[in-house]
Amino acid sequence: MLINFILLLLFAGIPYYLFFEKTNILGKEKIFYLSSLLVIGGMIFSHQVPQTASIPFAIIVLMAALFSLYKANKTTNLYKLAYYILFFNAPMLIMFQAKESTLYGVSLLITLLGIFMMGKYYERNYGSANYHSITGITLVTPYAGLMLTIYLTALALYPPFPNSLMFLNGILAAELSTLWYITVVIIFFGNFLIAVRVMAKTVFGKPNTNVHYIDLGPKERWLHLTIFILLLVLSVVGLKELLA
């Protein structure tokens, strides 16, 4: 049980909700970095110490995930969205076997890194990482629109992006109870609905005539291309795992 709660602490954003959300010690960018490091630490820890989640613990994890989903649905800030979605996916990282958890966690972290970097692009060009008024970017900033669409499509668990393949592989390898099946459905549709919501708000629609749109610069394009290539490599890895 202690191991389960340690993993909950590392994966589900407990330090953030109990402390960092209520203080200004860390900014949104640093919170994302810290949360990512905690998740990486949790994946390493789960490899070292085998664990089996009990039903009461599964209920706690699911409640924490639903709270993170609520927070993700309320925010229009890409920085916050990145770490709320990370916390929301915590049940998958806990219920999967160590190998499958690591593969899904790495895939999720790279996808969210892309969304986080798009937040930095928004902040640099539009004053904040808030996408509320930055609508229709695919029409006026095609590179930015394309990259954000790729990240959100991966987040929505669409194949052949690696998140969907790792998610499916984790389910096939895990021994699931009825409660865990319910959790899988919630996590799947939660990721999908949040991704579609963000697409509708900022990627598609009519551009805001009050906004001076600026597309990704050459260096940013190379950065996002690198992230995209990493996702493609993980897609190949995920496909091999499914066929093994």
Side-chain angles (χ1 to χ4, degrees):
M1 183 62 71
L2 176 60
I3 295 173
N4 289 332
F5 277 104
I6 291 174
L7 291 177
L8 180 65
L9 181 73
L10 295 171
F11 286 147
I14 303 302
Y16 169 75
Y17 290 125
L18 293 182
F19 184 68
F20 294 116
E21 187 179 39
K22 306 178 187 303
T23 66
N24 294 318
I25 294 177
L26 292 180
K28 299 180 185 68
E29 294 182 59
K30 292 181 179 178
I31 288 173
F32 175 76
Y33 293 136
L34 176 61
S35 300
S36 298
L37 285 174
L38 290 176
V39 167
I40 292 171
M43 291 189 293
I44 295 172
F45 181 74
S46 65
H47 271 280
Q48 302 299 321
V49 184
Q51 53 82 35
T52 301
S54 63
I55 295 299
F57 180 71
I59 295 173
I60 295 173
V61 173
L62 178 57
M63 292 175 61
L66 288 173
F67 181 69
S68 293
L69 178 63
Y70 167 79
K71 300 286 283 187
N73 186 56
K74 288 294 183 181
T75 190
T76 57
N77 184 286
L78 290 174
Y79 293 152
K80 287 186 174 183
L81 179 70
Y83 53 76
Y84 286 150
I85 290 297
L86 187 58
F87 303 154
F88 172 61
N89 280 270
M92 300 298 99
L93 301 176
I94 291 174
M95 67 182 280
F96 289 163
Q97 301 297 323
K99 179 181 179 181
E100 287 74 23
S101 173
T102 299
L103 288 173
Y104 183 66
V106 170
S107 177
L108 180 66
L109 282 170
I110 292 176
T111 302
L112 294 177
L113 174 63
I115 293 175
F116 175 81
M117 295 309 299
M118 287 303 300
K120 292 182 74 69
Y121 152 78
Y122 272 62
E123 184 175 50
R124 183 165 50 253
N125 294 294
Y126 306 120
S128 78
N130 193 311
Y131 62 81
H132 179 70
S133 60
I134 316 300
T135 56
I137 65 170
T138 192
L139 297 176
V140 285
T141 55
Y143 287 106
L146 173 63
M147 295 315 303
L148 189 54
T149 298
I150 288 172
Y151 300 140
L152 292 173
T153 302
L155 180 63
L157 298 176
Y158 272 107
F161 288 101
N163 298 41
S164 61
L165 299 176
M166 304 304 187
F167 190 87
L168 178 59
N169 187 50
I171 294 172
L172 294 176
E175 296 181 3
L176 302 181
S177 65
T178 301
L179 178 59
W180 279 125
Y181 274 114
I182 294 172
T183 303
V184 165
V185 172
I186 291 173
I187 299 299
F188 177 85
F189 283 104
N191 281 321
F192 175 80
L193 292 174
I194 290 295
V196 169
R197 172 182 172 273
V198 178
M199 281 189 192
K201 293 287 186 179
T202 187
V203 175
F204 303 118
K206 184 179 179 181
N208 188 340
T209 56
N210 296 318
V211 174
H212 175 61
Y213 289 89
I214 303 173
D215 209 347
L216 293 172
K219 291 183 179 180
E220 291 174 308
R221 294 176 194 177
W222 281 109
L223 171 63
H224 288 284
L225 178 60
T226 301
I227 296 174
F228 176 61
I229 291 173
L230 289 174
L231 290 175
L232 289 181
V233 171
L234 285 171
S235 290
V236 174
V237 173
L239 185 59
K240 287 183 177 180
E241 288 294 322
L242 281 175
L243 297 177

